[in-house]
Amino acid sequence: MAQVKKRSIALALCCSLVASPVWAKTFVGVLYPFLGPMAAIGLVELAGELKAMPDVEVATYLHQSWKALVDDINRQPKGTHILIVGYSLGANNAILVANNTGYVDTIVALQPSMLTTQASLTGKVGKIIEIYNPNPWMTFGGMGSQKLDAPNIEYIVNNDSHPGAQFNEQFHSIVKSELARISALDNSQTAKAFKPSQLAKLPPPKDAKPTALAFVNTDSSKHEPAKHEQATQARVEQTRHEPPRQEQKPPAVFADAPKPQPVFADAPKPQPVFADAPKPQPVFADAFLTSANAGNLFVPRTLTISDMKEYVKRNYPPAQTADVTR
């Protein structure tokens, strides 16, 4: 049974690896700027395009609701890749999200604001891409001119105003290319890590022995019948020698007469006493023909003690009759 369970588990694992895709889902969290989606129409359009991609889940949040994004990221299954896209104050709070999660693959920060305090990055982030305008006068006093300080960061300088940066095609292309890079990286790594063909060709264990469930001992079945077959044959043989229950009827004339079975058992004993008397075997043979113990023969009537006495009186002298009846 243990070997059967092990092989069943291995087969189920191979089937699941072959049938399931070899890439993990990517979760994209979008953090809106101040005033939410009303001030970020271009970001709303980008989120809609990302939702149409296969194996991508997109969720949007207000910049002050960054803790909800943290909870959603921490609930993702193991192996899910995380991409965070933040705009203005949402770009600033993307760092707070990374500090409160285990790992973030990529952060795309669009024009973080200088009008708020900026936390230092303490979490693990694979790559950060920041698009900003270093001229604060072009971003309403620095609303899109904050330069983040973090490892593995790539700066891209633009001349867009703060409201117009969200419509920049370069920004949209960067987000989409990062999403494609993450998916391609996950696909190649997973394909190398798991090879179903190798698992399917694993040899069986050396100590595997046939079990009663998987194999049948054909040698024993050829020479010895099964136990239940022996019991069935015994019951059939017993039924052949026993009289049917329907033919065993109680005596109709003598109510207090003993059962005929003991009479037939003791009947042969008087034979040695009468040496010169005729052998009584035919008598008892005739008696058996008229008794209920005739087996499958017909039963005209039941032999009783009175019948035996009458027969002895007719065939034996009076002196011997007393000994027989006694």
Side-chain angles (χ1 to χ4, degrees):
M1 287 297 297
Q3 297 296 333
V4 172
K5 290 181 179 179
K6 291 180 180 179
R7 293 179 180 178
S8 300
I9 294 173
L11 180 60
L13 179 60
C14 293
C15 293
S16 63
L17 292 175
V18 171
S20 61
V22 293
W23 59 84
K25 179 185 67 178
T26 302
F27 179 78
V28 180
V30 179
L31 288 170
Y32 287 128
F34 181 67
L35 300 177
M38 296 178 59
I41 303 301
L43 198 57
V44 173
E45 295 177 354
L46 176 61
E49 294 176 1
L50 299 179
K51 290 180 181 180
M53 295 183 177
D55 302 303
V56 176
E57 180 181 354
V58 181
T60 58
Y61 307 85
L62 299 176
H63 72 90
Q64 63 267 29
S65 302
W66 61 271
K67 292 183 179 180
L69 175 56
V70 171
D71 296 336
D72 290 343
I73 291 175
N74 292 332
R75 281 195 295 264
Q76 296 300 316
K78 185 178 180 180
T80 303
H81 289 273
I82 307 299
L83 172 63
I84 300 176
V85 180
Y87 174 34
S88 189
L89 293 177
N92 296 94
N93 291 346
I95 302 299
L96 297 177
V97 173
N99 291 343
N100 291 272
T101 56
Y103 182 77
V104 175
D105 291 273
T106 303
I107 294 177
V108 179
L110 177 62
Q111 289 197 352
S113 177
M114 297 176 61
L115 305 180
T116 184
T117 58
Q118 181 60 50
S120 301
L121 179 64
T122 58
K124 294 182 180 180
V125 181
K127 183 178 182 181
I128 299 177
I129 300 175
E130 180 184 349
I131 303 172
Y132 78 108
N133 188 343
N135 188 355
W137 298 106
M138 296 181 64
T139 58
F140 300 99
M143 292 179 64
S145 302
Q146 175 68 43
K147 189 175 181 180
L148 302 178
D149 186 12
N152 299 328
I153 190 169
E154 178 183 349
Y155 299 100
I156 298 178
V157 177
N158 66 6
N159 295 321
D160 296 331
S161 63
H162 193 59
Q166 58 183 309
F167 300 101
N168 193 321
E169 290 297 333
Q170 184 184 15
F171 164 63
H172 289 209
S173 299
I174 290 174
V175 173
K176 294 177 182 179
S177 63
E178 281 300 310
L179 182 59
R181 183 185 68 85
I182 292 172
S183 300
L185 179 63
D186 181 49
N187 187 10
S188 61
Q189 289 181 349
T190 309
K192 293 179 181 179
F194 300 100
K195 293 183 178 180
S197 59
Q198 293 180 358
L199 294 177
K201 296 179 181 179
L202 289 176
K206 295 181 179 180
D207 57 348
K209 297 181 179 179
T211 59
L213 294 178
F215 303 94
V216 178
N217 190 352
T218 56
D219 295 336
S220 61
S221 62
K222 291 181 180 178
H223 303 285
E224 297 182 0
K227 292 185 178 180
H228 69 276
E229 295 180 357
Q230 294 178 356
T232 305
Q233 294 178 0
R235 287 197 297 268
V236 172
E237 294 295 334
Q238 184 178 2
T239 306
R240 292 178 179 176
H241 298 287
E242 291 182 358
R245 294 184 179 180
Q246 296 179 356
E247 297 179 358
Q248 294 180 357
K249 299 181 180 179
V253 179
F254 302 98
D256 57 347
K259 296 181 179 180
Q261 289 80 357
V263 176
F264 300 135
D266 299 335
K269 292 182 179 179
Q271 292 178 3
V273 178
F274 307 103
D276 53 350
K279 294 183 180 181
Q281 285 79 357
V283 176
F284 291 105
D286 296 337
F288 274 106
L289 293 175
T290 59
S291 66
N293 290 334
N296 295 330
L297 301 177
F298 64 91
V299 182
R301 62 187 181 90
T302 304
L303 182 65
T304 62
I305 297 177
S306 298
D307 297 335
M308 297 289 294
K309 290 179 179 181
E310 292 295 335
Y311 180 83
V312 172
K313 287 179 182 181
R314 290 195 305 266
N315 294 279
Y316 295 95
Q320 295 179 354
T321 304
D323 295 335
V324 172
T325 57
R326 185 176 56 189

